């Protein structure tokens, strides 16, 4: 198998300074999520604008506020209950170039060495 993860972090493609992921953890209480912490995590990877093929993969692809694709070798999460590999939490949020993006979908390509996440710009929410 080809390890695409090496390309994701290549100096030719990856963001020089990386990007910051804000991971929120907590617990579900009576159908509502109660936050216990929000932790900033420095990630390395590549960021691209979502193209027409990408937009067909997610239901919110036509959202006016903008959409980006984030590629990383580190796991990126959407809203989840407590599981074997992660604590309960809401979708990760990524800050890039001064804008904050909420992750709405993740393609877990870990067998090929990377994760591809779709983020929607939160401005105007």
């Amino acid at each position: 198998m080809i390890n695409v993860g090496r390309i994701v972090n290549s100096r030719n493609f990856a963001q020089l300074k990386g990007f910051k992921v804000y991971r929120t953890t907590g617990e579900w209480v009576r159908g509502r999520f109660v936050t216990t912490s929000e932790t900033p995590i420095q990630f390395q990877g590549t960021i691209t604008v979502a193209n027409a093929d990408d937009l067909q993969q997610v239901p919110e692809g036509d959202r006016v506020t903008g959409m980006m694709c984030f590629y990383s070798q580190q796991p990126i999460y959407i809203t989840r209950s407590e599981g074997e590999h992660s604590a309960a939490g809401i979708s990760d949020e990524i800050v890039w170039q001064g804008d904050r993006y909420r992750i709405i979908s993740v393609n877990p390509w870990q067998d090929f060495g990377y994760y591809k996440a779709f983020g929607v710009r939160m401005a105007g929410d």
Side-chain angles (χ1 to χ4, degrees):
M1 260 189 237
I2 296 173
N3 184 345
V4 181
R6 291 188 340 192
I7 296 170
V8 167
N9 286 335
S10 165
R11 292 183 308 175
N12 296 322
F13 298 105
Q15 307 309 309
L16 294 175
K17 296 180 182 179
F19 51 93
K20 197 157 290 222
V21 173
Y22 289 86
R23 183 153 298 151
T24 304
T25 57
E27 61 182 328
W28 293 97
V29 178
R30 296 184 184 162
R32 291 186 158 244
F33 187 77
V34 179
T35 300
T36 55
S37 69
E38 179 180 78
T39 307
I41 305 166
Q42 188 65 35
F43 269 51
Q44 289 299 117
T46 302
I47 300 173
T48 63
V49 175
N51 62 37
D53 291 336
D54 292 328
L55 296 179
Q56 291 176 1
Q57 296 178 30
V58 292
E60 291 191 44
D62 61 351
R63 191 164 171 152
V64 174
T65 57
M67 207 166 171
M68 301 295 286
C69 291
F70 299 90
Y71 299 82
S72 176
Q73 288 184 297
Q74 298 165 269
I76 300 173
Y77 296 116
I78 56 173
T79 301
R80 65 217 172 270
S81 58
E82 186 170 353
E84 184 179 328
H85 301 289
S86 68
I90 55 175
S91 295
D92 287 346
E93 294 178 2
I94 295 176
V95 173
W96 183 67
Q97 291 191 347
D99 288 321
R100 196 163 176 138
Y101 294 83
R102 179 178 296 126
I103 300 304
I104 62 167
S105 180
V106 176
N107 293 339
W109 293 100
Q110 64 266 31
D111 287 348
F112 297 98
Y114 73 103
Y115 294 81
K116 178 181 181 180
F118 298 94
V120 175
R121 190 174 58 210
M122 294 174 62
D125 276 0

